[in-house]
């Protein structure tokens, strides 16, 4: 860890959480307000990139022990599974459903199958943005 | 499958077995196994003679591609039976001859007999097929197998040259012929020759009549070595002599003759058909006979002689087609003589030319040379070969009492008759035909004399030959030429043997429309027909020919005699190299290997195509009815946007350029804000950020040497092209907007606005469209992103080290 970047480190720690929180907000807001899986994913990737900029690669790997290739695959699988699940009930591929529920804390909430679909997109976007940039950055040829 | 079908394909079936026979039965010459087949087939076809000579036909069909009207229909009438007997009969003799000609120890006999059998089967197929497509298939197999046979000694350069030449020329003609067949199909709706002849009025009244006719003639002329496509035949003499005897004198070169005869009922009676055949035929006749005189190689003489004789037959078929013009009548009888002469000479030529090729092969085999300047004095050493050659040459020269004399007399009769013809403007130029024919006959006589005297007379000089003991050939090798030679004599003395059995049915199938039911042509050939013009012409030929030969010492010194090669080869060779050079040139000027050029081509093509269609269909339009006002901040944004864009090409510094690109991206995001697209604006901002980061990363990794060497060069062409593309896209955009306005479409967005809450439970319409209404697009776009990421990983992580091949 580089010792003379205290300001950057401190700020990164604070700001990253703000950006992450905002990205989660964007992701959930998507159905009714501007936002969605794509933007949320990019925003999350930006937050993580900021951390990569602030700290070095080794400690980041320790902190986030993810394989981004797996994340892409998981995201794609979730999206496809959402589409396929509607087929199990006899509807065409990628038919979305929604319903309103009374949940304990959140009150009346709309739950929709578009959300897991968006989640898949979110994961893929996070995965690819980080994978591409980190791969190029790590390349020392 | 009937017996006849099996007979047609039997050579192919036997060809499959040949390599096994060659490999496992080594002590016996493979040719003996092959010999059985043509003999059996010959006997089989002989017993069909009574059917055709009684005027009957045999037609049998096996469906091949019935949905396209392509059936393997065999059809036997007089004409095809005549060819079948030639093919199988001479085929058997050639196989017998080749057994003694090709050594069991040194030659690749399996190749030879497989090719030969392929050829035999294909040739049978050509003359048997009633279906044009089947005929074409067999036709091309003859081309292929012929090229294979010519290049049998493939390690010799001349052989491969000759094979390539014959292949190119005959396949060129074959493809043209296929075009003609297709046109016939368009006109009549059938591939069957019988049915085409049946619906003749459809053909003759069609505007496709002439194109079809010329395309088919192109096929026939290339195959039959007619002027100017004859140049492949002399070069095909590099083939083994049995092949030359079989393919290039008796059978394959007559495929074109067959085709012309077969299509005479369809096209005959038209002036174009008459003139094309007669003129090309007589020119070929003259050209071939004159060229033959200049040759020094025995096989080359025979090659040019074949060319000229084929021209003679072709000319006769052309002149004879005039009889179709008259319908049935007295004139008809006069002009059918030409057809009779053609058929008769076809048979005669096959017999004497086959035997001559075989004797030349014997001379080559026993002395080691075919050069007439080295040969001489073989009369006493090879008496049998000498006798057979004498008969063949005398017949070819047209001397009595051999069959060549009869057909030559009939040829003269034919040209004399037609010179008095009063149709097709023949009365103007008709007198030329007998004169040209007579001159050609004189030269024919001369080269026959040259061949005879140079080879057999004079003093025997052993030092001229590579072979130590020059002697007569083994008896096996002599059987075939003796058989053919005796046929020459028999047909000479008893020509009417053939008249009833072969010639009349063949004529009936060439000119079927002239016969009423149960009628037949009456052919009576006899030697003595009084002191008429034809006889005096023959006497003149002999006298003048002898004179020219006696003066040979004088004219042999002329430069034109020394040059053997046909001047038309110059065109062939130069067009071939020119073609390659031209292709290389055009490739070189456009395939630069520079990506920038290819991109320029694409842009130019786009400008031309879209620009042309805009002008052609008058598609440019401007419509300002639905245009909204422009706010001041939009002006500012636009000016900034345009400014940043215009500046980029003039930036010399990479990083600055990247930053400017980023600026444009953020301005675009602002535009999205202005035009009320928050999702797009957000995405654009984030994507632009990530892209700029990526650009920075990529440029950081650029090689040291070229760092900061980015300096755009000015290029006027590129400027023009880019302006053109810009103008074009603008014009298309404006026109699309204007035309969209005037078309009054109902926009689908109304549906989304109304239903996004009800059907999908979301207020953000953009997001609802992305994940619900059009979710599949999103899924696949995400897939694209995933693939791109994996691609980057593969390119960087799995990079090959060193210089391994990928």
């Amino acid at each position: 860890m580089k010792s003379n970047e205290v300001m950057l480190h401190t700020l990164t720690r604070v700001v990253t959480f703000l950006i992450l929180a905002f990205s989660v907000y964007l992701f959930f807001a998507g159905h009714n307000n501007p936002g969605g899986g794509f933007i949320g994913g990019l925003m999350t990737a930006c937050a993580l990139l900021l951390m990569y900029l602030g700290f070095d690669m080794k400690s980041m790997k320790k902190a986030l022990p993810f394989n981004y290739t797996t994340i892409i695959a998981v995201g794609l699988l979730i999206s496809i599974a959402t589409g396929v699940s509607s087929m199990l009930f006899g509807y065409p591929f990628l038919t979305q459903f929604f319903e309103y529920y009374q949940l304990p804390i959140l009150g009346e909430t709309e739950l929709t199958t578009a959300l897991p679909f968006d989640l898949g997109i979110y994961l893929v976007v996070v995965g690819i943005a980080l994978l591409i940039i980190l791969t190029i950055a790590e390349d020392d040829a | 499958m009937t017996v006849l079908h099996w007979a047609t394909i039997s050579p192919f079936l036997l060809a499959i077995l040949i390599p096994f026979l060659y490999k496992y039965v080594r002590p016996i010459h493979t040719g003996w196994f092959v010999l059985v087949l043509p003999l059996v087939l010959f006997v089989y076809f002989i017993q069909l003679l009574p059917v055709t000579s009684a005027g009957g036909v045999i037609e049998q069909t096996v469906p091949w591609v019935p949905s396209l009207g392509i059936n393997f229909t065999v059809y036997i009438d007089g004409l095809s039976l005549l060819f079948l007997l030639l093919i199988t009969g001479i085929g058997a003799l050639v196989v017998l001859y080749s057994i003694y000609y090709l050594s069991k120890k040194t030659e690749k006999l399996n190749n030879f007999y497989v090719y030969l059998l392929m050829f035999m089967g294909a040739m049978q197929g050509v003359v048997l097929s009633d279906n044009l497509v089947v005929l074409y298939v067999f036709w091309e197999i003859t081309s292929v197998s012929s090229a294979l046979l010519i290049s049998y000694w493939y390690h010799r350069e001349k052989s491969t040259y000759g094979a390539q030449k014959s292949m190119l020329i005959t396949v060129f003609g074959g493809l043209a012929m296929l075009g003609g067949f297709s046109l016939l199909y368009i006109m009549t709706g059938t591939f069957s020759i019988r049915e085409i002849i049946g619906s003749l009025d459809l053909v003759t009244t069609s505007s496709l009549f002439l194109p079809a006719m010329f395309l088919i003639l192109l096929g026939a002329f290339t195959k039959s070595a007619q002027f100017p496509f004859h140049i492949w035949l002399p070069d095909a003499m590099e083939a083994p002599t049995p092949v030359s005897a079989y393919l290039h004198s008796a059978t394959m070169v007559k495929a074109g003759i067959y085709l012309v005869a077969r299509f005479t009922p369809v096209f005959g009676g038209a002036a174009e058909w008459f003139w094309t055949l007669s003129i090309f035929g007589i020119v070929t006749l003259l050209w071939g006979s004159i060229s033959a005189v200049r040759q020094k190689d025995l096989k080359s003489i025979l090659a040019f002689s074949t060319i000229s004789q084929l021209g003679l037959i072709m000319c006769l078929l052309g002149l004879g087609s005039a009889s179709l013009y008259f319908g049935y009548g007295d004139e008809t009888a006069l002009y059918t003589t030409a057809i009779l002469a053609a058929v008769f000479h076809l048979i005669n030529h096959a017999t004497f030319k086959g035997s001559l090729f075989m004797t030349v092969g014997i001379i080559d085999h026993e002395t080691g040379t075919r050069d007439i300047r080295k040969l001489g004095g073989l009369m006493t050493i090879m008496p049998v070969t000498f006798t057979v050659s004498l008969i063949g040459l005398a017949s070819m020269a047209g001397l009595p009492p051999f069959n060549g004399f009869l057909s030559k007399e009939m040829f003269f009769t034919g040209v004399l008759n037609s010179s008095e013809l009063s149709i097709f403007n023949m009365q103007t130029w008709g007198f030329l035909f007998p004169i040209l024919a007579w001159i050609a006959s004189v030269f024919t006589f001369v080269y026959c004399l040259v061949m005879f005297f140079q080879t057999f007379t004079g003093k025997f000089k052993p030092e001229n030959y590579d072979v130590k003991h020059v002697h007569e050939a083994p008896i096996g090798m002599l059987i075939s030429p003796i058989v053919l030679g005796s046929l020459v004599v028999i047909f000479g003395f008893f020509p009417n043997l053939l008249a009833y059995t072969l010639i009349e049915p063949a004529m009936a199938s060439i000119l079927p429309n002239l016969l009423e039911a149960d009628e037949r042509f009456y052919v009576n050939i006899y030697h003595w027909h009084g002191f008429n013009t034809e006889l005096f012409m023959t006497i003149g030929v002999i006298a003048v020919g002898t004179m020219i030969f006696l003066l040979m010492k004088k004219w042999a010194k002329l430069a034109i005699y020394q040059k053997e090669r046909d001047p038309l080869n110059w065109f062939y060779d130069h067009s071939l190299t020119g073609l390659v050079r031209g292709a290389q040139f055009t490739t070189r000027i456009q395939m630069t290997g520079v990506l920038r050029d290819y991109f320029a081509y694409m842009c130019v093509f786009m400008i031309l195509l879209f620009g042309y269609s805009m002008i052609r269909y008058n598609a440019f339009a401007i419509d300002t009815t639905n245009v909204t006002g422009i706010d001041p901040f939009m002006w500012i944004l636009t000016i900034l946007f345009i400014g940043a864009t215009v500046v980029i090409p003039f930036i010399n510094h990479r990083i600055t350029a990247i930053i400017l690109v980023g600026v444009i991206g953020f301005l675009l995001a602002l535009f999205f804000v202005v035009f009320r697209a928050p999702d797009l604006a957000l995405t654009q901002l984030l994507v632009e950020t990530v892209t700029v980061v990526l650009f920075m990363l990529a440029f950081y990794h650029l090689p040291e040497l070229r760092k900061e060497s980015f300096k755009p060069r000015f290029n006027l062409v590129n400027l023009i092209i880019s302006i053109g593309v810009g103008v074009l896209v603008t014009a298309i955009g404006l026109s699309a907007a204007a035309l969209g306005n005037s078309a009054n479409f109902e926009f689908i967005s109304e549906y989304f606005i109304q239903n996004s809450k009800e059907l999908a439970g979301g207020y953000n319409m953009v997001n609802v469209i992305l994940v619900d209404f059009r979710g599949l697009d999103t899924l696949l776009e995400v897939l694209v992103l995933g693939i791109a990421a994996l691609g980057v990983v593969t390119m960087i992580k799995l990079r090959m080290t060193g210089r391994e091949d990928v």
Side-chain angles (χ1 to χ4, degrees):
Chain A
M1 202 181 275
K2 293 163 205 163
S3 53
N4 58 348
E5 291 177 349
V6 184
M7 282 299 282
L8 177 65
H9 290 161
T10 319
L11 267 179
T12 309
R13 275 171 203 170
V14 179
V15 171
T16 308
F17 278 100
L18 288 179
I19 305 178
L20 277 177
F22 183 53
S23 74
V24 172
Y25 163 74
L26 277 179
F27 169 66
F28 280 111
H31 221 48
N32 294 311
N33 288 304
F38 202 88
I39 306 168
L42 277 176
M43 200 58 109
T44 307
C46 284
L48 296 179
L49 278 177
L50 181 63
M51 286 169 78
Y52 275 97
L53 284 173
F55 302 95
D56 61 315
M57 201 71 87
K58 220 180 244 170
S59 30
M60 277 311 292
K61 263 198 187 140
K62 218 176 274 170
L64 296 172
F66 297 130
N67 182 349
Y68 294 114
T69 322
T70 324
I71 290 183
I72 298 178
V74 169
L76 276 175
L77 278 178
I78 291 176
S79 294
I80 293 169
T82 323
V84 173
S85 61
S86 66
M87 290 169 75
L88 294 181
F89 298 100
Y91 292 95
F93 182 62
L94 267 178
T95 310
Q96 312 283 26
F97 307 96
F98 65 96
E99 194 57 69
Y100 296 93
Y101 294 102
Q102 202 68 36
L103 291 182
I105 301 166
L106 301 168
E108 186 182 316
T109 314
E110 179 195 4
L111 289 182
T112 161
T113 51
L115 197 67
F117 183 74
D118 236 7
L119 178 67
I121 294 168
Y122 173 85
L123 288 176
V124 175
V125 171
V126 172
I128 61 133
L130 287 169
L131 185 63
I132 292 178
I133 292 181
L134 292 182
T135 312
I136 295 177
E138 277 176 348
D139 178 39
D140 44 1
Chain B
M1 295 282 275
T2 60
V3 184
L4 212 49
H5 286 97
W6 285 113
T8 317
I9 61 165
S10 57
F12 296 107
L13 299 177
L14 182 59
I16 298 173
L17 289 180
I18 289 300
F20 299 103
L21 290 173
Y22 175 71
K23 194 168 175 195
Y24 296 112
V25 199
R26 282 314 289 261
I28 305 171
H29 195 289
T30 318
W32 291 112
F33 301 110
V34 181
L35 182 61
V36 182
L37 183 73
L39 279 178
V40 172
L41 288 176
F42 185 73
V43 172
Y44 173 69
F45 288 129
I46 279 274
Q47 52 98 20
L48 297 178
L49 266 180
V51 180
T52 58
S53 46
V57 294
I58 302 165
E59 188 169 4
Q60 278 152 357
T61 304
V62 169
W64 184 19
V65 193
S67 54
L68 295 178
I70 299 171
N71 298 311
F72 185 10
T73 304
V74 294
Y75 177 87
I76 291 194
D77 59 1
L79 186 64
S80 25
L81 194 62
L82 165 63
F83 273 88
L84 283 173
L85 291 177
L86 283 181
I87 292 161
T88 50
I90 298 183
L93 294 175
V94 162
V95 171
L96 177 65
Y97 176 77
S98 71
I99 291 171
Y100 291 90
Y101 188 84
L102 294 172
S103 158
K104 188 168 63 181
K105 291 179 193 116
T106 53
E107 300 285 357
K108 290 195 176 70
L109 293 175
N110 48 347
N111 291 357
F112 182 81
Y113 286 110
V114 167
Y115 301 158
L116 198 73
L117 282 170
M118 262 171 73
F119 173 80
M120 195 185 288
M123 203 60 212
Q124 282 190 21
V126 167
V127 298
L128 272 174
S129 298
D130 179 53
N131 193 288
L132 291 178
V133 175
V134 178
L135 194 155
Y136 172 73
V137 169
F138 283 120
W139 184 277
E140 291 300 22
I141 299 177
T142 64
S143 294
V144 172
S145 52
S146 154
L148 286 170
L149 283 167
I150 295 168
S151 59
Y152 173 65
W153 288 308
Y154 50 81
H155 43 84
R156 296 185 191 167
E157 203 184 321
K158 277 186 167 179
S159 299
T160 49
Y161 171 80
Q164 190 201 31
K165 197 176 192 178
S166 78
M167 186 83 173
L168 285 175
I169 294 178
T170 52
V171 169
F172 159 73
L175 281 176
M177 191 182 85
L178 181 63
F181 287 173
S182 310
L183 291 183
L184 276 181
Y185 181 72
I186 292 170
M187 286 186 264
T188 59
T190 174
F191 280 122
S192 162
I193 302 175
R194 284 308 104 203
E195 288 169 26
I196 290 173
I197 294 174
S199 50
L200 209 53
D201 47 332
L202 284 177
V203 182
T204 42
T205 53
S206 170
S207 58
L208 296 173
F209 177 75
L210 283 186
M213 188 187 100
F214 284 120
L215 285 172
I216 289 174
L217 276 186
L218 204 54
F221 280 4
T222 48
K223 199 75 160 184
S224 277
Q226 296 296 298
F227 186 90
F229 306 110
H230 64 275
I231 48 173
W232 65 267
L233 190 61
D235 283 305
M237 290 301 122
E238 295 300 326
T241 304
V243 173
S244 308
Y246 191 37
L247 272 67
H248 307 130
S249 72
T251 53
M252 186 179 89
V253 288
K254 291 193 174 128
I257 304 277
Y258 169 79
L259 197 73
V260 167
R262 196 38 110 200
F263 278 96
T264 299
V266 181
F267 298 112
E272 292 85 357
W273 178 264
F274 172 84
W275 279 111
T276 317
L277 284 181
S278 327
I279 291 178
F280 275 89
I282 200 112
V283 169
T284 311
L285 167 64
L286 200 59
W287 185 273
S289 61
I290 293 175
S291 302
V293 176
R294 302 190 307 175
Q295 303 303 312
K296 317 293 182 295
D297 182 297
L298 285 177
K299 269 176 97 176
S300 296
I301 300 180
L302 288 180
F304 278 105
S305 144
T306 304
I307 292 169
S308 87
Q309 308 276 326
L310 290 171
L312 185 152
I313 300 174
M314 199 64 96
C315 178
L316 282 171
L317 283 176
L319 297 175
S321 75
S323 58
L324 281 172
Y325 178 84
F326 292 108
Y328 198 67
D330 285 343
E331 290 110 331
T332 319
L334 214 53
Y335 300 117
T336 45
T337 317
I339 298 286
L340 161 66
V343 175
F344 190 44
H345 195 70
L346 180 87
I347 303 168
N348 295 345
H349 178 250
T351 53
F352 68 70
K353 196 50 70 70
S355 76
L356 282 175
F357 264 110
M358 288 173 184
T359 54
V360 164
I362 290 172
I363 293 165
D364 183 21
H365 204 258
E366 302 304 330
T367 65
T369 181
R370 297 195 307 250
D371 193 323
I372 53 170
R373 287 164 298 195
K374 289 187 185 169
L375 291 166
L378 293 178
M379 194 193 295
T380 47
I381 295 164
M382 304 166 92
V384 185
T385 313
F386 158 74
T387 317
V388 176
S389 296
L390 179 65
I391 294 171
L393 288 169
S395 173
M396 184 156 80
L399 295 180
F402 304 108
N403 58 8
F405 170 72
L406 299 170
S407 49
K408 177 145 293 186
E409 293 287 284
M410 282 193 263
F411 170 54
F412 285 150
T413 316
V415 286
L416 284 172
N417 282 344
S418 55
S419 67
E420 291 154 13
L421 207 57
S422 57
I423 51 164
F424 308 142
N425 291 327
M426 188 69 183
Q427 57 272 43
T428 327
W429 296 102
F431 69 94
L432 277 177
F433 277 90
I435 296 174
L436 292 177
W438 185 81
I439 297 173
S441 302
V442 170
F443 280 104
T444 308
F445 191 72
V446 172
Y447 67 71
C448 290
L449 289 181
V450 170
M451 266 186 89
F452 176 72
F453 284 103
Q454 296 275 14
T455 313
F456 294 108
T457 60
K459 217 175 155 220
F460 180 67
K461 293 180 196 135
E463 69 273 10
N464 272 355
Y465 306 115
D466 304 332
V467 180
K468 283 255 169 63
H469 299 289
V470 178
H471 56 80
E472 183 59 276
I475 180 68
M477 215 165 175
L478 287 168
I479 295 175
S480 305
I482 289 174
V483 170
L484 285 174
S486 23
L487 282 180
V488 171
V489 179
I490 294 171
F491 293 162
F493 281 111
F494 310 104
N496 291 317
L497 272 181
L498 297 170
Y500 180 66
T501 49
L502 279 176
I503 298 176
E504 285 172 12
M507 284 175 69
S509 41
I510 297 174
L511 304 169
N513 307 345
L514 293 184
L515 293 179
E516 307 285 320
D518 298 328
E519 248 190 334
R520 62 183 189 87
F521 288 104
Y522 288 98
V523 174
N524 198 10
I525 307 165
Y526 44 91
H527 271 268
W528 182 247
H529 34 71
F531 288 104
N532 51 12
T533 328
E534 292 90 325
L535 188 66
F536 290 118
M537 278 169 88
T538 303
I539 294 171
V541 164
I542 295 170
V544 177
T546 316
M547 210 165 66
I548 293 179
F549 179 70
L550 290 177
L551 296 173
M552 191 176 171
K553 274 198 180 132
K554 292 205 174 143
W555 55 261
K557 284 174 196 150
L558 293 175
I560 190 159
Y561 176 73
Q562 305 299 331
K563 277 189 194 156
E564 284 178 57
R565 227 170 131 66
D566 196 303
L568 287 172
N569 280 315
W570 186 88
F571 290 102
Y572 170 80
D573 292 335
H574 277 76
S575 57
L576 209 58
T577 50
L579 201 66
V580 173
R581 281 220 201 99
Q584 283 171 341
F585 176 70
T586 48
T587 310
R588 228 177 9 246
I589 55 169
Q590 42 142 348
M591 297 303 220
T592 53
V594 181
L595 218 50
R596 184 184 311 222
D597 291 345
Y598 300 150
F599 187 61
Y601 298 154
M602 284 194 248
C603 292
V604 169
F605 181 73
M606 203 177 85
I607 295 171
L608 293 178
L609 185 68
F610 289 109
Y612 169 76
S613 36
M614 279 194 101
I615 296 166
R616 169 78 177 73
Y617 296 103
N618 207 9
F620 184 71
I622 295 183
D623 179 15
T624 52
T625 47
N626 278 0
V627 175
T628 50
I630 303 172
D631 293 332
F633 58 90
M634 284 191 191
W635 278 115
I636 300 171
L637 266 183
T638 314
I639 290 167
L640 280 174
F641 195 87
I642 292 173
T645 315
V646 169
V647 169
I648 286 182
F650 299 98
I651 304 285
N652 280 352
H653 197 274
R654 271 210 187 97
I655 303 294
T656 323
I658 294 168
I659 290 170
L660 265 177
V661 170
V663 167
I664 292 174
F666 291 127
L667 284 172
L668 190 63
L670 271 181
F671 268 114
F672 286 143
V673 172
V674 170
F675 289 114
R676 285 172 306 220
D679 290 88
L680 284 184
L682 267 172
T683 314
Q684 172 65 24
L685 274 175
L686 289 167
V687 166
E688 197 56 43
T689 315
V690 174
T691 324
V692 169
V693 172
L694 269 177
F695 265 126
M696 290 296 194
L697 269 176
F699 278 28
Y700 175 75
H701 283 286
L702 277 181
E704 288 291 322
L705 273 178
R706 300 202 43 196
K707 225 174 202 175
E708 303 306 330
S709 64
F710 179 74
K711 192 174 186 300
R713 281 166 300 157
F714 178 71
N715 187 330
L716 187 65
V717 179
N718 289 355
L719 182 70
I720 294 171
I721 292 175
S722 51
I723 290 176
V725 172
V727 169
L728 183 75
V729 172
T730 313
I732 291 175
L734 288 174
S735 315
L739 296 173
N741 276 340
S742 58
N744 263 334
F745 287 119
E746 198 177 320
F747 294 102
I748 195 175
S749 48
E750 290 302 319
Y751 172 82
F752 289 137
I753 293 169
Q754 279 161 19
N755 293 307
S756 91
K757 177 66 192 162
E758 261 172 58
L759 294 182
Y763 288 107
N764 182 351
M765 213 176 72
V766 175
N767 191 269
V768 165
I769 291 174
L770 282 179
V771 299
D772 196 329
F773 290 130
R774 308 288 305 268
L776 193 62
D777 297 2
T778 314
L779 187 63
L780 295 179
E781 275 156 27
V782 172
L783 193 63
V784 167
L785 287 178
I787 291 169
L790 292 181
V792 170
V793 174
T794 332
M795 277 194 288
I796 289 173
K797 288 248 169 92
L798 305 179
R799 188 162 34 202
M800 297 277 181
T801 49
R803 303 185 55 186
E804 298 147 73
D805 272 328
V806 177

